RNA sequence: GACCCGUUCGUCUAGUGGUUAGGACACCGCCCUUUCACGGCGGUAACACGGGUUCGAGUCCCGUACGGGUCGCCA
């Protein structure tokens, strides 16, 4: 009989939701969902001085935004609660008694230490393979401020502070036991801690869960990512114009591969494909450019409705009247050239503006050319004579105007773009003109001519 | 410092003893096109180094170098 999979994400509410933590949450979520198991969220707030409610909210919001909903934990309850370690003290007391009964602990200057046995513990890691360690032989060191160097220290681990607060290693193991966690998927920074946890499991007489230590994400320069680094904080992705699935997709790719050429996945597809054997062993460097590309790919596959709902906050922030019926069509023009939602207003805002703001460089390119006045005049007349203001007719209107003055169509498109939209770059021009309407287009051509020619 | 983990194009990766070492991002070129972009096609670019084992090694073993991690009364 296969045991039901139970994974957990156990953040400490002492800061923001970091991309490393989010990826750990994602892998746990994916593994649980892939195997039809449960994903538990546990708050490791044993460090009362550093834990804050604000931090917890940021972390929960981040997980919600990513769509990594938890089956048990804060806000949803569950059969193994409470899910905040600060509320589980009586449970830890009971487990401490077990250790005391077994003679595994002793007091040291008010703290309680767990006696590390002199034996080799072997982690059967799903990703790193077999890793063996003898904690006693390996020893422990601490930094001596006076001597200004590392000095040998007691390898027995403190599990309870003199002030009564319990320590990570102990509560982490106790809760994983109590909550029935079957698979511990966490960052590789915990690999060296795992023998300690194994010693605790043994002293408690409980079989340890399956361990899988995932490689770390580093900066482009190979150092540890910090809050200041681009792409480090989850809540910034939302503001920067990423959609959650794209962020999940990119995080999954950083350290996991589906073993084929597919790189773009929805969360649902990741859930179907994700397995631990696709996780690789080496650390990776975060690449913001590729993350943007992944987002762009997701943008392309959004339905018009989804695109609209994702883009609306950004449109509003840019002052674009979202109730304008032309917005939907404009979004379709914008999605092809934007990787981030935040880039969309820049592409289409001018369509809805009452006044065009002209890009100096673009204007210069137009004004410096020969015969521009003639071209603009022909263009304006051409546009004026278009009767059925639809893409095809607008296009032939421009073509006819070009023929009329013996020029190529291309020679008119460029000034037409700058005159109507103010810049040499932007969305596909003819559809833009259609959205602008005949009257507005003509008006803009005339305004430009009067102003610069 | 001790111990642990890792090392394929600049980056993310595929590769599990015999491959022209594949894909993606980025970059460059060409095409398409009304500009930019998109798209299409093509190109530059990698097995850290040294020893083994083997008929044969990116793939297995050892060492070195480099990177990362752990060694807290943080988690």
């Amino acid at each position: 009989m296969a045991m039901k999979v139970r994974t957990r994400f156990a953040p400490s509410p002492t800061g923001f939701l970091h991309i490393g933590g989010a990826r750990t949450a994602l892998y746990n979520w994916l593994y649980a969902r892939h195997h039809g198991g449960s994903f538990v969220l546990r708050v490791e707030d044993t460090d009362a001085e550093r834990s804050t409610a604000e931090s917890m909210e940021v972390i929960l919001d981040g997980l919600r935004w990513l769509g990594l909903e938890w089956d048990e934990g804060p806000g949803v309850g569950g059969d193994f609660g409470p899910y905040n370690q600060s509320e589980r003290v009586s449970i830890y007391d009971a487990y401490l008694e077990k250790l005391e009964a077994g003679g595994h602990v002793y007091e040291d200057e008010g703290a309680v230490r767990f006696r590390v046995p002199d034996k080799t513990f072997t982690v059967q890691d799903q990703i790193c393979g077999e890793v063996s360690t003898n904690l006693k032989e390996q020893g422990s060191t601490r930094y001596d401020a006076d001597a200004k160097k590392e000095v040998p220290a007691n390898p027995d681990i403190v599990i309870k502070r003199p002030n009564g607060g319990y320590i990570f290693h102990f509560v982490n193991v106790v809760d994983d036991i109590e909550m029935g966690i079957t698979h511990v998927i966490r960052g590789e920074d915990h690999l060296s801690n795992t023998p300690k946890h194994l010693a605790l499991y043994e002293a408690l007489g409980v079989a340890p869960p399956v361990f899988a230590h995932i490689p770390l994400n580093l900066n482009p320069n190979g150092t540890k990512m910090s809050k200041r680094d681009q792409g480090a904080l989850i809540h910034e992705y939302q503001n920067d114009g990423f959609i959650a699935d794209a962020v999940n997709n990119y995080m999954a790719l950083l350290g996991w591969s589906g073993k084929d050429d597919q790189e773009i996945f929805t969360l649902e597809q990741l859930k179907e494909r994700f397995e631990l054997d696709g996780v690789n062993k080496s650390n990776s460097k975060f690449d913001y450019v590729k993350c943007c590309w992944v987002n762009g790919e997701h943008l392309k596959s959004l339905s018009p409705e989804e695109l609209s709902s994702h883009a609306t906050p950004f449109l509003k922030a840019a002052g674009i009247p979202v109730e304008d019926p032309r917005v939907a069509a404009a979004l379709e023009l914008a999605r092809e050239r934007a990787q981030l939602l935040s880039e969309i207003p820049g592409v289409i805002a001018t369509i809805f503006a009452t006044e065009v703001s002209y890009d100096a460089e673009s204007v210069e390119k137009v004004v410096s050319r020969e015969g521009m006045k003639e071209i603009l005049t022909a263009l304006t007349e051409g546009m004026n004579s278009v009767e059925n203001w639809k893409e095809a007719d607008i296009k032939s209107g421009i073509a006819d105007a070009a023929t009329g003055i013996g020029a190529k169509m291309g020679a008119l498109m460029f000034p037409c773009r700058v005159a109507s939209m103010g810049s040499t770059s932007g969305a596909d021009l003819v559809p833009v003109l259609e959205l602008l309407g005949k009257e507005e287009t003509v008006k803009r051509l005339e305004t430009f001519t009067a102003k610069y020619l």
Side-chain angles (χ1 to χ4, degrees), chain A residues 126 162 311 344 391:
Chain A
Q126 294 300 293
I344 290 178
E391 230 181 287

Side-chain angles (χ1 to χ4, degrees), chain A residues 95-128:
Chain A
Y95 271 79
L96 179 58
E97 275 177 37
K98 288 188 192 179
L99 289 180
E100 280 167 350
H104 296 291
V105 298
Y106 60 91
E107 202 195 300
D108 179 22
E109 295 179 358
V112 177
R113 280 188 190 268
F114 169 69
R115 208 184 305 277
V116 166
D118 183 7
K119 65 171 281 190
T120 298
F121 287 96
T122 300
V123 186
Q124 301 286 350
D125 194 273
Q126 294 300 293
I127 294 164
C128 306

Side-chain angles (χ1 to χ4, degrees), chain A residues 36-55:
Chain A
S38 297
F39 173 61
V40 178
L41 182 61
R42 180 172 77 222
V43 184
E44 305 222 329
D45 55 353
T46 54
D47 186 345
E49 300 191 354
R50 296 199 305 148
S51 299
T52 68
E54 298 74 48
S55 169

Side-chain angles (χ1 to χ4, degrees), chain A residues 386 388-399 409 430-431 434:
Chain A
V386 173
N388 182 26
W389 194 257
K390 292 287 175 196
E391 230 181 287
D393 287 32
I394 296 167
K395 195 162 187 171
S396 53
I398 297 173
M409 188 173 167
V430 177
E434 183 182 324

Side-chain angles (χ1 to χ4, degrees), chain A residues 391-440:
Chain A
E391 230 181 287
D393 287 32
I394 296 167
K395 195 162 187 171
S396 53
I398 297 173
D400 291 348
T403 317
I405 56 170
K408 286 193 168 186
M409 188 173 167
L412 302 211
M413 291 303 292
F414 181 67
C416 185
R417 168 180 289 285
V418 175
S420 59
M421 292 291 284
S423 170
T424 52
S425 68
D428 208 8
L429 185 58
V430 177
V432 164
L433 295 181
E434 183 182 324
L435 289 177
L436 238 32
K438 180 172 175 176
E439 202 180 318
E440 178 69 13

Side-chain angles (χ1 to χ4, degrees), chain A residues 20-309:
Chain A
R23 193 188 55 147
T24 300
L26 173 66
Y27 282 21
N28 276 284
W29 186 92
L30 288 172
Y31 191 79
R33 291 284 175 271
H34 179 81
H35 291 278
S38 297
F39 173 61
V40 178
L41 182 61
R42 180 172 77 222
V43 184
E44 305 222 329
D45 55 353
T46 54
D47 186 345
E49 300 191 354
R50 296 199 305 148
S51 299
T52 68
E54 298 74 48
S55 169
M56 199 60 240
E57 273 316 301
V58 171
I59 291 168
L60 296 186
D61 283 347
L63 293 173
R64 287 189 198 106
W65 180 68
L66 288 169
L68 307 180
E69 80 286 352
W70 49 98
D71 303 301
E72 299 170 28
V76 300
D79 296 337
F80 301 82
Y83 291 90
N84 280 41
Q85 291 187 329
S86 56
E87 297 167 24
R88 298 174 61 80
V89 177
S90 60
I91 295 169
Y92 306 138
D93 288 341
Y95 271 79
L96 179 58
E97 275 177 37
K98 288 188 192 179
L99 289 180
E100 280 167 350
H104 296 291
V105 298
Y106 60 91
E107 202 195 300
D108 179 22
E109 295 179 358
V112 177
R113 280 188 190 268
F114 169 69
R115 208 184 305 277
V116 166
D118 183 7
K119 65 171 281 190
T120 298
F121 287 96
T122 300
V123 186
Q124 301 286 350
D125 194 273
Q126 294 300 293
I127 294 164
C128 306
E130 271 189 21
V131 181
S132 299
T133 315
N134 183 318
L135 294 166
K136 204 83 175 180
E137 283 176 6
Q138 180 182 310
S140 177
T141 59
R142 65 178 171 80
Y143 185 76
D144 186 310
D146 297 329
K148 291 186 177 174
K149 63 171 185 180
E150 294 286 322
V151 297
N154 189 345
D156 292 337
I157 56 185
V158 171
I159 60 174
K160 189 178 187 183
R161 303 181 179 94
N163 71 6
Y166 285 100
I167 299 292
F168 164 73
H169 296 107
F170 178 63
V171 294
N172 188 269
V173 166
V174 170
D175 283 344
D176 282 344
I177 292 170
E178 279 288 299
M179 295 181 179
I181 301 304
T182 60
H183 294 72
V184 173
I185 301 169
R186 56 175 23 166
E188 201 194 84
D189 47 344
H190 285 301
L191 183 57
S192 299
N193 285 149
T194 308
K196 294 173 191 168
H197 302 170
L198 253 19
L200 250 7
Y201 275 101
E202 188 180 77
L204 257 9
V206 177
V210 174
F211 288 101
H213 289 90
I214 64 180
L216 272 20
N217 289 159
L218 307 173
N219 268 324
N221 67 19
T223 58
K224 209 170 180 175
M225 277 187 94
S226 79
K227 302 182 198 315
R228 292 183 172 276
D229 294 314
Q230 186 171 44
L233 271 22
I234 294 302
H235 67 267
E236 290 183 350
Y237 283 87
Q238 193 169 4
N239 300 333
D240 289 349
F242 286 87
I243 60 176
D245 260 18
V247 177
N248 284 321
N249 189 163
Y250 183 68
M251 290 195 298
L253 250 29
L254 232 37
W256 171 85
S257 160
K259 308 282 187 192
D260 60 18
D261 291 342
Q262 184 175 350
E263 295 207 283
I264 301 301
F265 299 92
T266 61
L267 227 206
E268 191 62 24
Q269 290 170 325
L270 284 174
K271 189 176 102 183
E272 284 164 23
R273 297 282 299 271
F274 187 83
E275 258 303 349
L276 254 22
D277 62 11
V279 179
N280 60 274
K281 306 177 199 306
S282 53
N283 294 348
S284 53
K285 292 172 186 166
F286 185 83
D287 183 351
Y288 194 76
V289 173
K290 183 149 187 177
C291 188
C292 291
W293 173 78
V294 169
N295 198 68
E297 293 301 300
H298 278 261
L299 241 42
K300 284 175 192 162
S301 59
L302 251 29
S303 70
E305 294 74 25
E306 289 169 331
L307 178 64
S308 170
S309 74

